[in-house]
Amino acid sequence: MDFQLTEEHLMIQKAARDFAKNELLPGVIERDEKMIYPAEQVKKMAELGFLGMMTDPKYGGGGMDTISYVIAMEEISKVEAGISVVMSVNNSLVCWGLETFGTEEQKQKYLIPLATGEITGAFCLSEPEAGSDATSQRTTAIDKGDHYIVNGTKNWITNGNSASVYLVIAQTNTELGHRGINALIVEKDTEGVTVGAKENKMGIRASDTHSIMFQDVVVPKENRIGEDGFGFKFAMKTLAGGRIGIAAQALGIASGAYELAVAYSKERKAFGTEIANHQAIQFKLADMATEIEASRMLCFKAAWLKDQNKDYNMASAIAKVFASETAMRTTTEAVQVHGGYGYVKEYHVERLMRDAKITQIYEGTSEVQRIVISRSVLR
Ligand code: CAA
């Protein structure tokens, strides 16, 4: 066991922290309020290598470990979860999925620009009637010999408008159920692809979340990821890693709110002393510190297992459910510590509280994580 971060980890932490403080903090309130996609900041994030952190350098990535990714996700999410979700989807759903299961041609054509951040990608699994019940895909990909014809609608797609490439999960053979599902790489500017209106969300408002419509979209067979019928397993395997990214995002949201609460409690006075001197506040801070530390350890454990090529399916679900529930509790208490100031935008904690909620929902709700965990327990 070694709880010490390496020199390289500390450098990544500093780079992410500096980026968040200098480039994200100044405009974060306005981007949240007006739902402005942080295009300029995403470009800078790409220059820093944060969009393809774990991808092999031969495909334009940083070749870093998953621990580094957790560290960077935490720092960036402390300030702006609306941009860290762009980072998370691009790194762990899109780049990792393509690098692990794609062909060499797919990697050359798509992974390199995605990992360098020249373009971003989106992961299209959810549908109006298929969220947690992900095997019930209505989107179809009909096999026409050398190509597929895709029809259907995908919902709540992160990077929906900004992405150039979509990884689309669709049903080819209904008789085979989930074994008849395929994962296809679809370029956004293909004829028949339409981006729906931007969702007006509670939190992570800077990220662009859209529905995507596919009408008679021709997708060449060479754009299928893996064997025929591998699409559902592709989605599940990819999401198992994605959940480490979202767990780290939740960790960052929680630790960002906690740091603000600690600083505020040392400044604000009530009943003749700083509120940090009151046990009512001290116990809140103690609970926050305890749960955040536990979340961080769970994120590192899941990341470490992934880096060791060990089974991380259960560990990533545990990290996500615990960190996201910690984020919700911690941000709510951080608002409470701030009192009336916590309820207004300038103090950041109300935004973090709104941002926290989605971490209990996307990439598998807390209930879905409990399904994954209990199946592992009872297997
Ligand atoms: N790795 C490999 N294979 C897996 C797997 C995994 N982690 N999990 C399941 N599978 C396989 C199973 O082995 C099974 O295959 P076989 O029948 O061949 O053995 C197949 O997948 C079906 O599995 P289940 O029978 O367990 O399927 P289920 O219908 O009971 O559903 C579920 C399981 C865990 C609930 C799953 O549907 C799920 O994870 N749902 C949530 C989906 C989700 O996370 N959506 C998020 C959307 S993406 C997003 O949010 C991105 C964003 O923009 C931020």
Side-chain angles (χ1 to χ4, degrees):
M1 297 288 291
D2 184 0
F3 287 97
Q4 198 68 37
L5 295 182
T6 64
E7 282 297 315
E8 197 188 341
H9 290 147
L10 292 170
M11 271 168 55
I12 291 161
Q13 189 176 49
K14 184 176 182 318
R17 194 174 283 166
D18 290 348
F19 168 72
K21 184 167 162 248
N22 300 329
E23 307 288 343
L24 302 180
L25 191 58
V28 65
I29 292 174
E30 192 190 8
R31 284 192 294 277
D32 168 69
E33 209 168 331
K34 299 185 182 158
M35 301 200 307
I36 301 169
Y37 176 75
E40 203 184 301
Q41 290 77 8
V42 170
K43 198 163 164 272
K44 284 187 182 150
M45 199 155 63
E47 285 160 15
L48 286 167
F50 288 146
L51 290 184
M53 289 185 73
M54 295 163 290
T55 308
D56 192 318
K58 75 176 179 193
Y59 299 119
M64 292 174 231
D65 60 9
T66 315
I67 303 272
S68 304
Y69 172 55
V70 166
I71 291 169
M73 277 297 296
E74 178 181 355
E75 292 305 322
I76 292 170
S77 306
K78 278 182 187 176
V79 177
E80 189 163 11
I83 195 170
S84 69
V85 67
V86 178
M87 177 175 161
S88 179
V89 167
N90 204 68
N91 271 283
S92 40
L93 297 185
V94 181
C95 288
W96 187 84
L98 278 174
E99 184 171 17
T100 311
F101 302 109
T103 62
E104 187 55 33
E105 291 70 31
Q106 290 168 352
K107 291 179 198 178
Q108 292 297 332
K109 188 169 178 189
Y110 298 109
L111 180 57
I112 293 174
L114 284 162
T116 55
E118 190 189 314
I119 60 171
T120 55
F123 189 80
C124 303
L125 171 67
S126 302
E127 297 187 351
E129 288 173 80
S132 294
D133 184 10
T135 56
S136 298
Q137 294 289 307
R138 295 263 173 102
T139 299
T140 53
I142 304 302
D143 192 334
K144 294 282 180 187
D146 65 345
H147 65 274
Y148 291 97
I149 300 284
V150 177
N151 277 289
T153 299
K154 294 290 177 181
N155 254 24
W156 310 295
I157 304 305
T158 303
N159 300 343
N161 191 39
S162 52
S164 305
V165 169
Y166 302 133
L167 304 189
V168 181
I169 311 299
Q171 188 81 47
T172 296
N173 188 335
T174 38
E175 281 170 20
L176 294 177
H178 67 77
R179 293 187 188 133
I181 290 174
N182 278 311
L184 306 175
I185 305 167
V186 181
E187 295 178 22
K188 183 193 176 195
D189 57 13
T190 313
E191 203 181 328
V193 175
T194 312
V195 178
K198 190 170 185 171
E199 299 290 353
N200 187 355
K201 308 190 295 288
M202 170 195 274
I204 57 160
R205 286 168 57 79
S207 67
D208 65 325
T209 311
H210 294 255
S211 50
I212 317 281
M213 280 73 79
F214 300 90
Q215 194 181 357
D216 295 330
V217 177
V218 177
V219 181
K221 256 219 179 125
E222 65 255 28
N223 280 22
R224 188 184 69 213
I225 303 172
E227 293 297 304
D228 186 24
F230 179 66
F232 190 73
K233 289 204 174 157
F234 168 80
M236 290 297 108
K237 284 172 183 278
T238 305
L239 279 165
R243 288 166 185 164
I244 302 175
I246 300 304
Q249 181 188 44
L251 166 66
I253 293 170
S255 54
Y258 161 76
E259 286 175 11
L260 289 168
V262 170
Y264 182 81
S265 72
K266 291 180 184 167
E267 285 165 16
R268 173 73 173 171
K269 288 192 174 145
F271 304 103
T273 184
E274 286 79 14
I275 60 170
N277 292 323
H278 297 302
Q279 200 175 58
I281 300 298
Q282 291 167 355
F283 280 14
K284 286 188 196 302
L285 298 177
D287 285 345
M288 291 181 195
T290 305
E291 291 188 30
I292 288 168
E293 188 61 13
S295 299
R296 193 175 288 117
M297 290 302 122
L298 291 172
C299 287
F300 283 158
K301 164 103 185 276
W304 180 85
L305 286 170
K306 185 164 181 282
D307 289 337
Q308 303 300 312
N309 291 318
K310 293 180 193 290
D311 185 355
Y312 54 91
N313 197 44
M314 181 181 179
S316 70
I318 290 178
K320 183 178 181 288
V321 77
F322 192 84
S324 62
E325 293 184 0
T326 294
M328 206 59 246
R329 277 191 295 272
T330 303
T331 54
T332 307
E333 286 295 66
V335 170
Q336 193 70 13
V337 168
H338 281 75
Y341 290 106
Y343 205 65
V344 295
K345 295 196 185 295
E346 291 91 303
Y347 284 77
H348 299 285
V349 283
E350 68 80 37
R351 184 187 69 258
L352 291 165
M353 183 176 159
R354 287 185 285 105
D355 288 346
K357 187 63 203 167
I358 192 60
T359 65
Q360 295 180 300
I361 298 173
Y362 61 17
E363 297 205 22
T365 60
S366 292
E367 291 74 14
V368 162
Q369 306 313 319
R370 287 182 168 91
I371 294 176
V372 173
I373 297 163
S374 58
R375 283 183 183 172
S376 289
V377 168
L378 298 169
R379 195 169 47 205

